Amino acid sequence: TRSTRPQRLLKVVQKHATRGDPQSVISAIDHFCRRSEWAMNIGDEKGSILDSVVSELNPEKVLELGTYCGYSTVRIARLLPPGARLITLEFNADYAAIARQVIAWVGLEDKVQLVESASEDWIPRMTEHFGIETFDFVFLDHWKDRYLPDTKLMEGCGLLRKGTVLLADNVICPGVPDYLEYVRNSLSYKSCYFKSHLEYSKAEDGLEKKSVFLG
Ligand SMILES: CCCNc1ncnc2c1ncn2[C@@H]1O[C@H](/C=C/CNC(=O)c2cc(-c3ccc(F)cc3)cc(O)c2O)[C@@H](O)[C@H]1O
Ligand SMILES: [Mg+2]
């Protein structure tokens, strides 16, 4: 049977990227998605904004919702200080298998823990299973109608502290209207919008960065 797009993306990484070199993996995926097959990675333009937010924050404990093929996982993990940890949740077994191989290719397994599970099943288990009380940084890039319920779930589980930064992809395209309305009107967040473009496209898209300042 025909291969899947994530399988073809992994082949491109294994053929064109250098083991242990995250930048070569990022470049190989971006080239493939721009020139051959579009895929829903954050991409190079929005990815640079993600890089600057991570570099400025220097987080120790990071949560990513929606791994897909691991492109943003690699972008984030490559910038983390020694001892920092990134937990990424992916509930599709096929995508998780691809992402594990991409993460292994760049040699970032010691910083990244991929949990093959739905976010709502694992957000409540972060403390007892990983010993994580609160996260410093959360990247949201999973189903768009799950950004708001999962944010409320993280609040309810006490995983967000004063200063925790949440960064959400696709706030314009496909869009997350309920999430935007909530975080822009809620008194416990201050937020800013980074205007950009949909990955590998000229369509408008953007990232919304929120920092929790009232615990
Ligand atoms: C139980 C559901 C909620 N919990 C979840 N827990 C764990 N993983 C979850 C997940 N939801 C979804 N996922 C995974 O996240 C990924 C889903 C991402 C959804 N992203 C998009 O739809 C998306 C879509 C576009 C897009 C934009 C324009 C267009 F014309 C077509 C597509 C662009 C993007 O950047 C996107 O991120 C998959 O790997 C999926 O298996
Ligand atoms: Mg996205």
Side-chain angles (χ1 to χ4, degrees), residues 13-155:
V13 165
Q14 293 170 334
K15 184 157 184 257
H16 298 287
T18 311
R19 275 186 183 284
D21 176 355
Q23 191 51 55
S24 73
V25 167
I26 292 164
S27 304
I29 292 174
D30 285 335
H31 187 269
F32 173 70
C33 293
R34 192 176 290 288
R35 302 287 294 275
S36 308
E37 297 190 60
W38 188 93
M40 58 183 177
N41 315 119
I42 190 171
D44 44 356
E45 190 180 320
K46 288 187 290 178
S48 302
I49 299 169
L50 170 64
D51 290 356
S52 58
V53 170
V54 172
S55 302
E56 184 191 335
L57 197 62
N58 234 348
E60 297 282 321
K61 295 167 286 174
V62 179
L63 175 64
E64 175 180 61
L65 303 180
T67 316
Y68 188 44
C69 296
Y71 174 91
S72 50
T73 319
V74 168
R75 283 202 85 112
I76 296 168
R78 84 193 203 284
L79 299 174
L80 295 182
R85 278 196 295 167
L86 164 54
I87 294 169
T88 183
L89 306 184
E90 172 54 58
F91 77 151
N92 178 304
D94 299 328
Y95 296 161
I98 298 293
R100 286 191 203 286
Q101 294 173 80
V102 169
I103 292 158
W105 193 263
V106 295
L108 286 168
E109 306 95 314
D110 59 327
K111 287 187 188 302
V112 178
Q113 280 177 290
L114 191 158
V115 179
E116 193 176 318
S117 155
S119 48
E120 63 266 32
D121 296 340
W122 262 82
I123 284 172
R125 300 178 60 184
M126 285 301 163
T127 305
E128 45 101 7
H129 192 272
F130 288 111
I132 286 184
E133 301 292 324
T134 58
F135 283 101
D136 305 316
F137 178 64
V138 182
F139 178 56
L140 298 97
D141 195 21
H142 58 331
W143 293 157
K144 307 313 161 194
D145 63 356
R146 308 298 303 175
Y147 284 24
L148 184 53
D150 281 348
T151 297
K152 290 182 171 173
L153 183 58
M154 288 186 283
E155 284 173 354

